């Protein structure tokens, strides 16, 4: 059935940001705080999450991110970091990476060796979004428009997004921050390479019997995929298990208590007995590599997962997105006075600024996912030796750590 346009509304601004995730909201805040008029175009409202019982602890979100120093700096400069519920943020003091097989290698990094207070911080998606929503409420010049985008057009004078009710959002620049399946990217006919990892990330939260001391653990298990246990405040940990599709299906069929038993065996009891924090709360997410052939088009810039989707084994997708936002804001702030924010040259500079960082992360995460995804014994031996060797090369370790921290 064809719906007739019902609105003649027109929203004029300098920049229109499409998306409703942390990256879209951060972009909106960044542009607004730099003095630009912003339209944030979000999908028609989803039902709000059920309210928790008064006095009861808010459940722990199973979507958590290891946020690095680049992201921390950006969020602090936008006054978002200080608005997070700090009691629900866990600093990562060290990382321990374990190989597999008869002679598993291992590799450890710690904040002391990297001369920083923490390597990263584990932040829940809900905590991050609540802080961003609160900051957006007080941000000058942000117009949040809820609607379904149906058309995008760009020319020398500017760009427009048309909504399916007929309303029009006009701006000098459109930022696509609408995730891995980006509608904006699709409208710009940007081609992409897509490869499924044939894995799903199973995520859930547990309490642990022994203290985790701020350690982020990761196990490369070969045929069972990659398992990470990330520290949450108190004796709690968050699981990200990148499991081959068939195993992920089994894990999702099992109870969380059965999953906890598997984890206790895998972790050789380092954290003692694990107990599900919320018995029913487990999710699985498909994993793929998405590499768009461009991250800009006339009057359009892509940021976050719209611009790149990587394997979560290094915990870096969101961090890459924050680095995109910082680079876009810097490039636009440094433009010559006569250029508009949607100027082709300005956007080309943004694309160049992001090329190396994104490519390195794509190669590193994809390479590791393939290297540790095979069960061939010679490969297993070499990769375990590699982990041990790297552990004994402090200079190289420091460089890798600096890269991961975004420093
Ligand atoms: C299991 C797992 C663990 C991860 N762990 C980490 C980690 O530790 N650290 C890290 O840095 N990264 C991590 N990542 C990556 C991280 O989750 C993503 O990179 C990040 O969520 C991308 O954010 P985004 O805002 O770009 O996209 P999304 O979070 O996908 O948000 C896109 C938004 O756009 C909205 N949208 C979609 N279409 C439209 C439209 N047409 N109009 C308007 N809005 C639209 C959607 O509703 C959504 O709100 C992990 C990923 C996975 C799968």
């Amino acid at each position: 059935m064809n719906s007739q346009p019902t609105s003649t509304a027109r929203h004029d601004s300098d920049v229109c940001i499409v998306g409703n995730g942390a990256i879209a909201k951060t972009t909106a805040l960044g542009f607004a705080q730099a003095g630009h008029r912003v339209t944030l175009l979000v999908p028609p409202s989803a039902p709000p999450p059920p309210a928790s019982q008064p006095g009861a602890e808010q459940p722990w979100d199973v979507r958590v991110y290891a946020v690095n120093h680049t992201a921390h700096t950006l969020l602090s400069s936008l006054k978002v970091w200080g608005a997070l519920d700090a009691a629900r943020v866990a600093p990562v003091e060290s990382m321990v990476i374990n190989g597999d097989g008869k002679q598993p290698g291992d590799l450890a990094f710690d904040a002391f060796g990297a001369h920083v207070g923490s390597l990263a911080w584990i932040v829940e998606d809900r905590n991050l979004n609540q802080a961003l929503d609160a900051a957006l409420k007080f941000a000058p010049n942000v117009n949040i428009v809820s609607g379904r985008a149906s058309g995008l057009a760009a020319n020398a004078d500017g760009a427009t997004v048309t909504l399916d009710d007929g309303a029009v959002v006009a701006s000098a620049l459109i930022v696509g921050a609408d995730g891995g399946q980006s509608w904006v990217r699709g409208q710009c006919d940007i081609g992409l390479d897509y490869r499924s990892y044939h894995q799903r990330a199973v995520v859930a939260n547990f309490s642990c019997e022994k203290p985790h001391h701020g350690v982020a653990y990761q196990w490369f298990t070969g045929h069972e995929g990659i398992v990470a246990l990330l520290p949450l405040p108190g004796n709690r940990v968050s699981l990200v298990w990148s499991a081959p599709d068939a195993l992920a299906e089994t894990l999702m069929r099992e109870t969380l208590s059965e999953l906890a038993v598997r984890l206790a065996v895998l972790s050789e009891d380092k954290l003692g007995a694990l107990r599900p924090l919320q018995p029913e709360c487990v999710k699985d997410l498909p994993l793929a590599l998405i590499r768009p052939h461009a991250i800009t088009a006339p009057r359009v810039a892509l940021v976050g997962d719209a611009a790149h989707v990587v394997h979560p084994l290094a915990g870096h997708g969101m961090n890459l997105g924050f680095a995109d936002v910082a680079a876009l804001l810097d490039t636009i702030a440094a433009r010559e006075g006569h250029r508009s924010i949607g100027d082709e040259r300005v956007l080309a500079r943004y694309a160049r600024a992001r090329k190396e960082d994104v490519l390195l992360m794509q190669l590193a995460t994809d390479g590791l996912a393939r290297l540790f995804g095979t069960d061939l014994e010679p490969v297993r031996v070499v990769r375990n030796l590699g982990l041990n060797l790297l552990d004994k090369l402090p200079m190289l370790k420091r460089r890798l750590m600096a890269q991961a921290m975004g420093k």
Side-chain angles (χ1 to χ4, degrees):
M1 197 171 68
N2 260 345
S3 58
Q4 292 297 313
T6 54
S7 171
T8 53
R10 188 182 161 93
H11 307 273
D12 286 317
S13 55
D14 300 320
V15 54
C16 167
I17 296 150
V18 183
N20 195 27
I23 296 299
K25 293 173 190 175
T26 306
T27 314
L29 276 175
F31 272 96
Q33 290 187 16
H36 302 288
R37 293 170 308 143
V38 176
T39 300
L40 178 61
L41 181 55
V42 303
S45 319
S52 47
Q53 299 296 319
E57 183 186 67
Q58 238 193 9
W60 289 83
D61 195 344
V62 290
R63 289 308 315 273
V64 304
Y65 310 109
V67 170
N68 73 4
H69 285 251
T70 302
H72 179 271
T73 305
L74 175 67
L75 292 171
S76 301
S77 74
L78 297 175
K79 313 268 183 293
V80 173
W81 191 262
L84 288 171
D85 180 349
R88 298 182 71 107
V89 176
V92 178
E93 312 291 351
S94 55
M95 273 175 67
V96 177
I97 300 169
N98 302 277
D100 61 329
K102 291 188 199 97
Q103 288 174 307
D106 55 45
L107 173 62
F109 299 98
D110 61 56
F112 183 73
H115 308 298
V116 288
S118 342
L119 294 177
W121 297 264
I122 307 297
V123 181
E124 295 162 281
D125 181 70
R126 190 193 312 112
N127 192 4
L128 180 58
N129 274 285
Q130 281 173 348
L132 285 164
D133 290 339
L136 276 172
K137 263 195 202 149
F138 298 104
N141 295 328
V142 178
N143 177 21
I144 301 181
V145 174
S146 162
R148 210 172 295 283
S150 59
L152 184 155
N155 60 34
D157 299 325
T160 54
V161 175
T162 308
L163 308 189
D164 64 2
D165 65 359
V168 171
V169 180
S171 59
L173 172 67
I174 295 171
V175 179
D178 50 348
Q181 307 301 322
S182 174
W183 173 84
V184 172
R185 190 180 64 212
Q187 293 299 301
C188 299
D189 283 335
I190 295 176
L192 53 83
D193 299 325
Y194 174 97
R195 183 154 42 79
S196 166
Y197 283 111
H198 304 293
Q199 289 182 342
R200 302 182 73 81
V202 176
V203 291
N205 294 330
F206 298 88
S207 64
C208 48
E209 192 184 11
K210 298 180 191 166
H212 52 59
H213 299 298
V215 180
Y217 290 99
Q218 191 160 38
W219 290 269
F220 286 100
T221 74
H223 67 285
E224 291 201 323
I226 304 160
V227 182
L229 283 176
L230 307 173
L232 290 175
N235 275 14
R236 304 180 183 90
V237 287
S238 191
L239 166 73
V240 181
W241 188 331
S242 304
D245 285 337
L247 174 61
E249 259 176 51
T250 308
L251 298 178
M252 292 301 290
R253 267 200 310 272
E254 290 179 1
T255 63
L256 275 183
S257 302
E258 287 168 308
L259 185 51
V261 172
R262 281 180 185 264
L263 292 172
V265 174
L266 183 85
S267 62
E268 295 170 330
D269 220 27
K270 282 196 178 78
L271 297 166
L274 297 174
R275 285 200 180 73
L277 275 186
Q278 293 116 230
E280 304 304 326
C281 207
V282 56
K283 278 189 188 159
D284 63 327
L285 308 132
L287 300 182
L289 174 71
I290 302 181
R291 295 180 60 182
H293 297 162
I295 62 163
T296 60
R299 294 202 173 267
V300 171
L302 303 178
V303 292
D305 276 17
H308 36 67
V309 175
V310 295
H311 194 288
L313 66 87
H316 267 304
M318 180 77 97
N319 290 320
L320 276 183
F322 285 124
D324 295 341
V325 178
L328 184 60
L329 293 172
D330 285 351
T331 312
I332 284 176
R335 76 192 189 282
E336 300 85 345
H338 64 277
R339 295 197 190 278
S340 117
I341 63 170
D343 184 284
E344 202 181 328
R345 288 225 182 150
V346 176
L347 297 184
R349 287 174 199 154
Y350 161 65
R352 273 200 302 279
R354 294 305 295 136
K355 199 166 183 171
E356 190 183 338
D357 190 23
V358 172
L359 183 65
L360 269 179
M361 194 54 71
Q362 287 166 334
L363 292 175
T365 50
D366 192 45
L368 284 172
R370 286 163 180 250
L371 181 66
F372 284 92
T374 170
D375 261 343
L376 292 174
E377 193 51 27
V379 178
R380 195 200 302 270
V381 170
V382 171
R383 70 194 178 204
N384 282 312
L385 279 175
L387 281 181
N388 284 334
L389 182 65
L390 185 55
D391 201 45
K392 291 178 181 58
L393 296 173
M395 295 266 282
L396 187 56
K397 253 172 81 167
R398 265 202 294 279
R399 284 197 61 177
L400 275 178
M401 213 53 248
Q403 180 77 27
M405 288 189 297
K407 284 193 157 246

